Amino acid sequence: MRALLTRRDTVLLLLARLIDMAGSNALWIALGIRVKELTGSNSAAGLTFFAFILGTLAAPLGGPLVDRMRRQPLLIALNLASTVLVLPLLQVHDRSDVWICYTVMTLYGMASGVTGSAMTALTQTLIPQDQLGDANGLLQTLLQGLRLIAPLLGAGVLTAFGLGPLVLGDAATFALAALLIALIRQREDRPQPLEQEAIAEIGAGFRHIATTAALRQITVASVIAIVAFGFSESAMFAVVDAGLHRPPAFLGVLSSLQGAGAVAAGAAAAALMRRAGEGRTVALGLACAATGLLLSAAPSLIVVAPGTVLIGASLPWIIAGITTLFQRRTPSTLMGRTDAALNVLIAVPQTTAIAAGAALIALVDYRLLLAVMAVLMATSALYLVTRPTGQPTDTASAKSATPG
């Protein structure tokens, strides 16, 4: 880990991602709360997240772009475009303006899908193979650790000053992220031109996942689990409202508790991957999430709080494990399209689940939804631990995935 942090370009890349997500996390939680305040509807609030995921469905269209271009200038351009993208949220004042939230979040999702693929590909290029686990573990510790500050900041600023300062703050973080990425000195090789037709280029990432057993297995597990996470977007508003009888802004407190769990778990992610393998690290995260969801059904903060911490602890293990496995088993020339394919394979069921959750939360007791989510998580974990994906990645296989 110390060797990782002595690399100037790595530090700049991590800082850019951290600053970018700091502004986004504060704005996202505040936007959901604001929609809840304007409409009084848990479903309407949950649909803000649905709109974002809907936008990420365009990720495969951006995959070839990521593999055709140098990732550094592409990331600079995407971040600068995002500074302008969020500004229409300054016009949200009453219930009739909620459509602006959904529109911006959809476009935000589109930009985020391409940005995420480009960031994953650039990380693979800048960081040595044997340090990818450390880098992803550290990144998830920092990103999930933002939940200690960003949600409370977002909810607090929203309550005291309204949505405007958060929108301007998010725009500023995008601009700063673009500057930090521009300061990276290591230059990428010029990408090889893609010779396939456009449709074949888009499909290359899907084919790579389908024909690589480890990636296929972990993707199946992720799809099962993501349905549960999709339901939770609306269910957590009900946990706060119907379960704990707290105002919508209290969701910021629960998000911060998730951050506390994420910091603790993220610090151990790299060591856990080295010992157990990426697949079993993901499975352990899924088991934590299942337990946390069951605890969240209790009508008591004393029980919900540790459940929320466990849900937070699950995230860095799941995300770092999946990201590291994909980076180690994918050629750099295919990384953008493969990451985009993974994003859409996750986003489609997640989008459906968020929409279904927003509808079901008005018809079904939220505790039943939490129980269903826990079963899905446990099923996903059980599937994964019975697959070879759970074994540690050996050096030879890792090297064979990356062309010389």
Side-chain angles (χ1 to χ4, degrees), residues 39-383:
T39 65
S41 168
N42 290 325
S43 296
L47 286 175
T48 60
F49 302 103
F50 169 78
F52 174 82
I53 299 301
L54 185 65
T56 64
L57 295 180
L61 300 177
L65 182 67
V66 173
D67 289 335
R68 282 178 182 271
M69 298 180 61
R70 289 191 176 97
R71 284 72 182 249
Q72 184 182 12
L74 177 60
L75 282 167
I76 294 170
L78 288 168
N79 276 283
L80 291 177
S82 296
T83 63
V84 179
L85 177 63
V86 299
L87 296 180
L89 292 174
L90 294 172
Q91 302 303 314
V92 175
H93 302 297
D94 54 43
R95 187 187 184 104
S96 65
D97 298 325
V98 168
W99 68 271
I100 299 176
C101 300
Y102 297 147
T103 301
V104 169
M105 287 299 279
T106 301
L107 296 173
Y108 211 138
M110 294 173 65
S112 179
V114 182
T115 299
S117 295
M119 185 65 73
T120 300
L122 184 60
T123 301
Q124 184 195 45
T125 300
L126 294 183
I127 297 176
Q129 284 280 327
D130 60 354
Q131 294 180 6
L132 282 173
D134 291 330
N136 289 320
L138 175 60
L139 179 61
Q140 287 308 312
T141 301
L142 296 173
L143 291 181
Q144 299 301 332
L146 287 175
R147 292 175 180 265
L148 289 168
I149 303 171
L152 289 177
L153 176 64
V157 171
L158 177 68
T159 301
F161 304 106
L163 193 61
L166 291 167
V167 174
L168 295 175
D170 195 24
T173 59
F174 280 124
L176 182 54
L179 175 61
L180 291 172
I181 292 171
L183 294 175
I184 292 175
R185 292 174 180 168
Q186 183 174 328
R187 293 293 176 255
E188 306 167 80
D189 294 333
R190 184 178 297 278
Q192 296 295 322
L194 303 179
E195 299 178 354
Q196 297 173 306
E197 295 181 358
I199 295 178
E201 290 178 5
I202 293 172
F206 292 98
R207 289 193 298 273
H208 179 63
I209 293 173
T211 57
T212 306
L215 302 187
R216 183 176 64 250
Q217 291 160 7
I218 207 164
T219 299
V220 170
S222 301
V223 168
I224 297 171
I226 206 64
V227 172
F229 277 124
F231 283 151
S232 72
E233 300 293 0
S234 294
M236 294 311 293
F237 283 99
V239 169
V240 170
D241 185 8
L244 300 178
H245 306 291
R246 302 297 178 98
F250 192 75
L251 185 62
V253 176
L254 294 187
S255 295
S256 292
L257 287 174
Q258 285 190 10
V263 169
L272 187 58
M273 282 187 282
R274 283 193 294 269
R275 178 179 293 272
E278 292 91 354
R280 289 186 179 175
T281 299
V282 173
L284 182 57
L286 293 169
C288 283
T291 305
L293 288 167
L294 288 177
L295 293 176
S296 296
S300 168
L301 183 59
I302 295 176
V303 181
V304 171
T308 304
V309 171
L310 283 174
I311 293 172
S314 74
L315 295 174
W317 289 344
I318 293 171
I319 299 172
I322 292 172
T323 302
T324 303
L325 184 65
F326 266 75
Q327 287 172 329
R328 286 179 170 168
R329 301 296 181 93
T330 304
S332 61
T333 55
L334 192 56
M335 192 69 247
R337 285 166 289 171
T338 301
D339 188 74
L342 174 66
N343 287 340
V344 79
L345 288 171
I346 288 175
V348 169
Q350 186 176 22
T351 302
T352 304
I354 292 175
L360 288 172
I361 199 67
L363 304 172
V364 179
D365 191 308
Y366 78 96
R367 290 167 293 187
L368 178 59
L369 282 180
L370 289 173
V372 171
M373 286 184 262
V375 169
L376 288 172
M377 289 289 186
T379 300
S380 182
L382 181 61
Y383 167 80

